[in-house]
Amino acid sequence: MKEDYWKDKNVFITGCTGFLGSWLTKKLVEQDANVIGLIRDLVPRSNLNWSGFHDKIITVRGELEDYFLLERVLNEYEIDSVFHLGAQTIVTIANRNPLSTFDTNIKGTWNLLEACRRSPTLERIVFASSDKAYGAQNNLPYDEKTPLEGRHPYDVSKSCADLICRSYYETYELPVCVTRCGNFYGGGDLNFNRIVPGTIRSILRNQRPIIRSDGSMIRDYFYIEDGAEAYLTLAEKMDNLKIHGHGFNFSNEEPVDVVGIVESVLKVMDSDLEPVILNQASNEIENQYLSSEKAKSLLNWTPTYTIEEGLKKTVDWYKKFLKH
């Protein structure tokens, strides 16, 4: 990243208290950006609060479904850069409650893009799509030419929002780029039904970790600080107008099955607990992992952390967090 690039820039982050949003907010504040964060629900134990950075940004309470709120924020704070991370991100919740997921993930995205279209100060938007937007495909790893074919509620919400971004670029030349990442892991994820934080918490409580699926699903596991750096790198590279409208995959390109990631956590924590395999997961993509060749070649981006290095930092974070 460029030194002083973000100094005094007005940056709007939706989902700033979320897992990725909290790390991105921290990095931008450390680089002297003026961060304005959209918060729907107050989460006292969020990583943003835990890290002490909640007092270093301007917070706006509201929802992505409120178009006029978004328009006000972009104009009153003369926003230069937008990171759209706000979403309902849990697959099981999307399966139970698709309408709220569609409202937040699809309508929320078109609201924000339309407000950005009307903002004269806006220079770049980075939208957080997902590897799930590709849906289930036979050819792996996915590259950016893979069609967006989500089938289940969460996946469809990301496919739709992803395509809406493309529409706003093609029709209005809105300066938007899309990220598609694998499964983030790292300190600050409070969704303990996810495999990495859930496994760490179980081991710290001397309980057998739970695997909802049969354990054979293959995924990317992408360390959260690498993810935040990827977003910042992409946003900075958007000074090159030729990449506007593009989607970029980000991954460490080390796919592993669910049993494998649990075994890696057990090894890092020096535990001999045996996982409980429930084999109850449904409506989830079987195997999914990404090629990051485009990001490497066009953005000169590479990940910093191996899975083992990322897991060690993650375990240290949860040891401190769960003590309190």
Side-chain angles (χ1 to χ4, degrees), residues 262-277:
V262 170
E263 288 176 345
S264 294
V265 176
L266 288 163
K267 181 179 178 181
V268 166
M269 299 183 72
D270 194 25
S271 171
D272 58 3
L273 290 166
E274 288 287 329
V276 177
I277 299 177

Side-chain angles (χ1 to χ4, degrees), residues 5 42 52 78 120 233 235 263-264 288 304 316:
Y5 184 89
L42 185 64
E78 298 182 302
T233 298
E263 288 176 345
S264 294
Q288 190 166 47
T304 300
D316 287 343

Side-chain angles (χ1 to χ4, degrees), residues 1 106 111 155 199 220 247 254 304:
M1 296 186 299
I106 303 175
N111 276 347
D155 313 346
T199 297
D220 283 315
E254 296 180 40
T304 300

Side-chain angles (χ1 to χ4, degrees), residues 226-242:
D226 271 338
E229 291 289 342
Y231 274 69
L232 292 176
T233 298
L234 173 56
E236 292 174 19
K237 296 289 185 178
M238 288 180 71
D239 286 343
N240 175 8
L241 304 187
K242 291 181 179 179

Side-chain angles (χ1 to χ4, degrees), residues 251-303:
S251 164
N252 62 3
E253 298 183 313
E254 296 180 40
V256 62
D257 62 27
V258 176
V259 169
I261 196 69
V262 170
E263 288 176 345
S264 294
V265 176
L266 288 163
K267 181 179 178 181
V268 166
M269 299 183 72
D270 194 25
S271 171
D272 58 3
L273 290 166
E274 288 287 329
V276 177
I277 299 177
L278 299 179
N279 196 17
Q280 293 177 348
S282 61
N283 295 333
E284 294 193 25
I285 296 166
E286 188 66 29
N287 297 322
Q288 190 166 47
Y289 48 93
L290 300 165
S291 165
S292 295
E293 188 56 39
K294 182 177 177 180
K296 290 176 181 177
S297 61
L298 289 186
L299 307 179
N300 196 28
W301 173 86
T302 53

Side-chain angles (χ1 to χ4, degrees), residues 16 21 41 52 91 94 117 228 234 246 251 281 294 306-307 319:
C16 66
D41 300 328
V91 171
R117 185 171 76 90
L234 173 56
H246 282 239
S251 164
K294 182 177 177 180
T306 65
I307 288 180
K319 283 181 177 177

Side-chain angles (χ1 to χ4, degrees), residues 63-76 111 115 118:
E63 298 183 343
L64 288 164
E65 294 87 337
D66 186 345
Y67 170 80
F68 293 103
L69 173 71
L70 299 174
E71 191 175 69
R72 177 184 72 78
V73 170
L74 290 168
N75 284 281
E76 286 190 7
N111 276 347
R118 296 173 178 273

